[in-house]
């Protein structure tokens, strides 16, 4: 994985880690950037804004970006005075920030990425043999959410699954690893998708439905033990071979890895048949923030670079530079679940954490 340049600060806040990453011009860059834009972003976008080509593309339009990373839900507790924009990983925390800072109008959503399950090949083969997944290629398939939730409800173990006995690494309770839903967007969106399926294909919208779905969500989270606050850290652990053989991540993280020329033989990408898109949503706080938001949404060069980093630019799947051995070019056959309101999702996360 490409090293993120300029890490200069780390502070703990609301259980989430905030790290400063500077994505400005290097000494050798002769770009024309004249305006510095400060932003706070989800950690999965740090590599994008640190990319020298992104720096040059923004500099050509007159901007240098200085970014700090944070868990998307932890952004609500930050003091953003002096910042030009916030860029959390979904609409719910963005709407909360917009209300807090009295930002009106439609919030730009320049790109998005669905949640996927990454699996080691042995785990994917066992899931497929037991009707919990289907494999379309050696490295790509579909994850059956309803079947998995039924297995989780019954506390199924790997040892109870047909074919798991020949893989010594597949032991203990069958579960998906995810990030902390109280501080991390990917963890919260995982609960959104699971609650939607558990609620009969309807978004959870009140106390009665929250109470009905919360026990299963608590089981999904409590079985994991300690959770990390960063999807970037969870994905790095998986790629290195550490931890659980099934992990919830963003598709963009896999696409970015593939774009770097890596093609792990032991990696299988499973698209949940019911998933949630991470709509990266801009909350512009100043005119400069609005200008950069417009560039991220409309500038052809930046859209090309977004796709290179694995994000799907809004409006055109053909721009998504996926390796179809591992990834879907178009999200056909994948149902997009609606996400609860921020208030309801916070409550689901609180009860899931127990």
């Amino acid at each position: 994985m490409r090293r993120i340049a300029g890490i200069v600060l780390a502070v703990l806040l609301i259980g989430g880690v905030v790290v400063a990453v500077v994505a400005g011009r290097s000494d050798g860059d002769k770009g024309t950037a004249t305006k510095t834009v400060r932003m706070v972003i989800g950690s999965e976008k740090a590599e994008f804004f640190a990319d020298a080509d992104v720096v040059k593309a923004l500099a050509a339009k007159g901007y240098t970006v200085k970014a700090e990373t944070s868990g998307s839900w932890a952004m609500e507790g930050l003091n953003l005075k002096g910042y030009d924009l916030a860029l959390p990983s979904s609409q719910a925390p963005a709407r909360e920030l917009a209300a807090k800072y009295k930002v009106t109008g439609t919030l730009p959503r320049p790109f998005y990425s669905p949640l996927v399950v990454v699996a080691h090949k042995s785990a994917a083969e066992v899931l497929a043999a037991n009707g919990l997944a289907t494999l379309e290629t050696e490295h790509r398939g579909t994850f059956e959410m309803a079947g998995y939730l039924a297995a989780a409800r019954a506390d199924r173990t790997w040892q109870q699954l047909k074919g798991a006995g020949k893989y010594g690494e597949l032991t203990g309770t069958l579960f998906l690893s995810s990030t902390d839903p109280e501080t991390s967007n990917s963890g919260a969106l995982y609960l959104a998708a699971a609650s939607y399926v558990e609620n009969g294909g309807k978004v959870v919208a009140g106390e009665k439905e929250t109470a009905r779905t919360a026990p299963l969500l608590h089981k999904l989270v409590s079985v994991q033990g300690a959770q990390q606050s960063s999807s970037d850290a969870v994905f790095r652990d998986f790629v290195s071979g550490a931890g659980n053989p099934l992990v919830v991540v963003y598709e963009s993280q896999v696409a970015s890895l593939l774009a770097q020329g890596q093609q792990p033989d032991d990696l299988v990408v499973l698209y949940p048949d019911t998933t949630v898109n991470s709509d990266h949503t801009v909350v512009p706080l100043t005119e400069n923030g609005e200008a950069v938001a417009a560039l991220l949404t409309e500038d052809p060069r930046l859209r090309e670079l977004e796709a290179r980093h694995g994000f799907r630019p809004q409006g055109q799947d053909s721009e998504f530079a996926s390796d179809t051995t591992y990834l879907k070019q178009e999200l056909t056959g994948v149902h997009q679940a609606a996400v609860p309101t921020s208030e309801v999702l916070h409550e689901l996360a609180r009860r899931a954490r127990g």
Side-chain angles (χ1 to χ4, degrees), residues 113-148:
S113 184
L115 286 185
V116 298
V117 175
V118 289
H120 293 310
K121 190 176 291 186
S122 58
E125 291 175 353
V126 171
L127 292 179
N130 288 270
L132 298 177
T134 56
L135 298 180
E136 300 159 11
T137 73
E138 183 182 4
H139 296 288
R140 189 188 73 234
T142 301
F143 185 78
E144 305 293 338
M145 277 292 289
Y148 165 68

Side-chain angles (χ1 to χ4, degrees), residues 48 54 57 109-112 293-321:
F48 171 76
V54 174
R109 293 181 293 127
F111 46 82
Y112 68 98
L295 289 173
L296 292 172
T297 304
E298 302 166 4
D299 184 77
R301 176 56 175 162
L302 285 169
R303 287 173 65 90
E304 175 188 333
L305 292 168
E306 289 159 9
R308 180 200 292 178
H309 280 266
F311 301 109
R312 292 177 180 261
Q314 290 286 358
Q316 194 171 348
D317 275 341
S318 62
E319 291 186 64
F320 181 58

Side-chain angles (χ1 to χ4, degrees), residues 40-85:
V40 59
I41 62 174
S43 62
E44 68 290 329
K45 294 181 284 290
E47 286 193 10
F48 171 76
F49 284 105
D51 186 329
D53 289 334
V54 174
V55 172
K56 290 179 182 178
L58 288 168
K61 300 296 182 179
Y63 296 96
T64 295
V65 165
K66 293 187 177 181
E68 294 178 8
T69 65
S70 166
S72 292
W73 290 96
M75 287 183 193
E76 295 178 19
L78 294 173
N79 179 0
L80 297 183
K81 183 178 180 180
Y83 288 81
D84 295 285
L85 66 87

Side-chain angles (χ1 to χ4, degrees), residues 176-189:
L176 302 181
S177 289
S178 62
T179 54
D180 182 348
E182 291 193 289
T183 60
S184 171
N185 183 66
S186 60
L189 292 184

Side-chain angles (χ1 to χ4, degrees), residues 319-339:
E319 291 186 64
F320 181 58
S322 68
D323 179 336
T324 54
T325 302
Y326 292 83
L327 304 177
K328 289 178 176 285
Q329 177 70 29
E330 298 182 1
L331 296 174
T332 53
V334 177
H335 180 69
Q336 301 297 323
V339 178

